[in-house]
Amino acid sequence: GENVEQHPSTLSVQEGDSAVIKCTYSDSASNYFPWYKQELGKGPQLIIDIRSNVGEKKDQRIAVTLNKTAKHFSLHITETQPEDSAVYFCAASGGYGGSQGNLIFGKGTKLSVKP
Amino acid sequence: AAGVIQSPRHLIKEKRETATLKCYPIPRHDTVYWYQQGPGQDPQFLISFYEKMQSDKGSIPDRFSAQQFSDYHSELNMSSLELGDSALYFCASSLGPMNTEAFFGQGTRLTVV
């Protein structure tokens, strides 16, 4: 089945700096890659997603890139703000083995933005 | 905009008791997913339903069962609870089962004592 690796597990940046979180996946058939932000005690919040027919997608300060050949995708946050502090999860779905719609998550990255 | 509603938000049960968690998807969403998240862990897929039929099954224990009703809400039934079942349980919903945006509820925190 699908396996998603996420790095780093923790990331600390100064306010205004950029943050990059990287994920790799194992199932070449996976074709949908969302990113979720989870604040303490809350449910995961979808912040951006990308499908396998697209290489890059941007929404204001956040962007995601996908390299299908390398089975690698990344989240980029620019001009970070303290309210960006949270745990970020990457996920993949659409691969073989029954994971048609359900998400396989990475282990998460705890992002801390220092004022 | 309406979001996924889960109830109860918190639940405390004793070992060997049963629990029922409820999920009300976003209006017009026909697909529901259940996930379990332990402390400091990533969400683990349990089971999903599309148009009231089970569409996929993950690491759901045999002690747990779930269903989706005619109004698309879903219930997760958990029996013979164990200490290890203590976790956050999230429901997510989407429009269609194939790689569409899934939106999560705020979760039910289950504590088994």
Side-chain angles (χ1 to χ4, degrees), chain A residues 48-84:
Chain A
I48 196 168
D49 58 11
I50 192 167
R51 288 179 171 76
S52 57
N53 58 345
V54 175
E56 184 173 358
K57 183 176 179 181
K58 188 174 182 180
D59 182 5
Q60 299 183 343
R61 295 188 297 109
I62 60 174
V64 57
T65 59
L66 172 65
N67 183 326
K68 284 191 298 182
T69 302
K71 291 187 282 187
H72 170 274
F73 58 114
S74 299
L75 176 72
H76 304 251
I77 306 174
T78 59
E79 300 173 21
T80 54
Q81 301 167 4
E83 51 265 39
D84 294 329

Side-chain angles (χ1 to χ4, degrees), chain A residues 2 4 6 21 23 25 30-37 44-52 57 62-66 73-75 88-94 99-106, chain B residues 33 35 99-104:
Chain A
E2 175 66 276
V4 177
Q6 182 172 347
I21 303 171
C23 289
Y25 60 99
S30 290
N31 55 18
Y32 176 63
F33 307 94
W35 286 87
Y36 286 86
K37 173 184 180 183
Q45 175 192 3
L46 179 66
I47 57 172
I48 196 168
D49 58 11
I50 192 167
R51 288 179 171 76
S52 57
K57 183 176 179 181
I62 60 174
V64 57
T65 59
L66 172 65
F73 58 114
S74 299
L75 176 72
Y88 290 80
F89 289 99
C90 63
S93 75
S99 60
Q100 293 183 352
N102 73 73
L103 299 169
I104 306 300
F105 286 87
Chain B
Y33 312 85
Y35 290 84
N99 306 325
T100 59
E101 294 98 331
F103 298 92
F104 282 73

